[in-house]
Amino acid sequence: MQDNILLEDALLLVEQNFYFLHVGEFFAELSKQEDFSTKELSIKREFEDLKSYSFNPNIIEEVLKDAFGKREITLFEYFVEFNSFRGICMAMVEALRLDSPFRDYMMTKLGDRYEDFFDIVSFVRNVLSHNIHADIRLNEKDFSGTLKRIRRMKRDTHILFSFNYAIDLPEIGSPSLGYGFVCEIDFEKLKAGMPFLSVISHWELMMLSELCFNLVMAFRATLFKR
């Protein structure tokens, strides 16, 4: 019973973070197109027992002014994306650690790619949970545990994970027959200090996050068919 609750919480967290990613991207793009720093920026959050917290309008104004007119990624956009990536991968790892129908579904759906998928989402979760560098550089503890796991299982440390929606998850539907992505990581070659985005690209993180969400959606659809 407890595992069922934990699984539902983990799957819901994957979904919620993916929704946050999309809505956050919308507001990030809107803040580039419209100067919201001219609006009334005093915001107060009300809590129980008549307690409240007032947010600093000067900080809000500074972030909004910085975003307006920019073409490159903004501070708000960066935190929306990378907190979403971290939350999605963290929740997926926790869901897959449980002995559950979801893990059975994932093992069946991904087949011999299951362990590679688990290693990739674990790696992303580790990096984004431990990172304190602005440019996201690897720490040895981000990948050492995964590398030991791969060696212990006598698997190839050079992972090449590919996914095509039309072939691998046709029940979700895809915008084109070729829609999908490839993620390649050689865990044997990872070194402390390497830029994270040179190992897995920004676009691949988006596609990986979308895949986590779609796998949860596809699993939930199987429950309705029972």
Side-chain angles (χ1 to χ4, degrees):
M1 184 66 176
Q2 182 63 25
D3 279 358
N4 290 339
I5 295 173
L6 291 174
L7 176 63
E8 177 56 30
D9 286 347
L11 298 184
L12 186 59
L13 198 56
V14 171
E15 296 169 325
Q16 289 172 333
N17 274 280
F18 195 67
Y19 289 138
F20 171 64
L21 173 62
H22 281 249
V23 177
E25 288 286 354
F26 170 79
F27 281 112
E29 185 61 30
L30 201 60
S31 69
K32 292 179 178 181
Q33 298 176 16
E34 185 172 342
D35 186 5
F36 288 107
S37 67
T38 61
K39 307 289 185 182
E40 171 55 51
L41 303 178
S42 297
I43 301 172
K44 181 183 289 188
R45 178 79 157 83
E46 302 291 344
F47 296 92
E48 65 280 356
D49 302 326
L50 302 179
K51 293 186 175 71
S52 65
Y53 181 85
S54 297
F55 293 88
N56 190 323
N58 294 325
I59 293 176
I60 298 172
E61 180 182 16
E62 183 177 342
V63 173
L64 292 172
K65 279 185 174 179
D66 178 68
F68 179 58
K70 264 193 174 179
R71 296 178 63 87
E72 65 271 23
I73 190 170
T74 65
L75 180 68
F76 178 73
E77 199 171 9
Y78 175 90
F79 279 98
V80 164
E81 292 178 358
F82 283 91
N83 277 292
S84 297
F85 299 154
R86 179 184 59 81
I88 289 168
C89 289
M90 176 192 69
M92 179 58 75
V93 168
E94 295 306 314
L96 294 177
R97 281 177 172 169
L98 297 170
D99 184 8
S100 71
F102 178 67
R103 187 168 71 181
D104 294 340
Y105 169 83
M106 291 287 287
M107 294 178 77
T108 300
K109 179 62 68 174
L110 296 178
D112 59 7
R113 293 170 296 173
Y114 172 81
E115 298 297 344
D116 290 346
F117 175 81
F118 183 84
D119 288 335
I120 292 170
V121 293
S122 295
F123 171 64
V124 173
R125 187 279 308 267
N126 290 344
V127 173
L128 298 184
S129 295
H130 301 151
N131 175 67
I132 57 171
H133 299 285
D135 53 355
I136 316 182
R137 293 190 176 273
L138 301 189
N139 187 300
E140 187 176 356
K141 64 183 178 181
D142 295 333
F143 56 85
S144 59
T146 299
L147 179 57
K148 289 176 184 176
R149 178 179 183 271
I150 295 172
R151 288 171 175 167
R152 187 170 61 249
M153 297 176 74
K154 297 181 179 179
R155 292 167 42 232
D156 191 348
T157 59
H158 189 168
I159 287 177
L160 183 64
F161 178 85
S162 63
F163 197 89
N164 179 287
Y165 277 89
I167 298 170
D168 300 316
L169 205 62
E171 58 268 43
I172 287 295
S174 60
S176 67
L177 290 177
Y179 190 73
F181 70 108
V182 175
C183 182
E184 183 176 8
I185 303 176
D186 190 340
F187 281 90
E188 197 75 63
K189 294 183 177 179
L190 298 184
K191 304 292 181 185
M194 289 178 66
F196 174 56
L197 294 179
S198 72
V199 179
I200 180 169
S201 73
H202 207 146
W203 177 76
E204 287 167 359
L205 289 169
M206 286 286 187
M207 296 298 288
L208 180 65
S209 298
E210 180 184 60
L211 177 58
C212 290
F213 174 79
N214 284 331
L215 286 166
V216 171
M217 291 293 98
F219 168 71
R220 290 201 187 280
T222 66
L223 301 179
F224 288 113
K225 293 178 181 178
R226 294 178 184 177

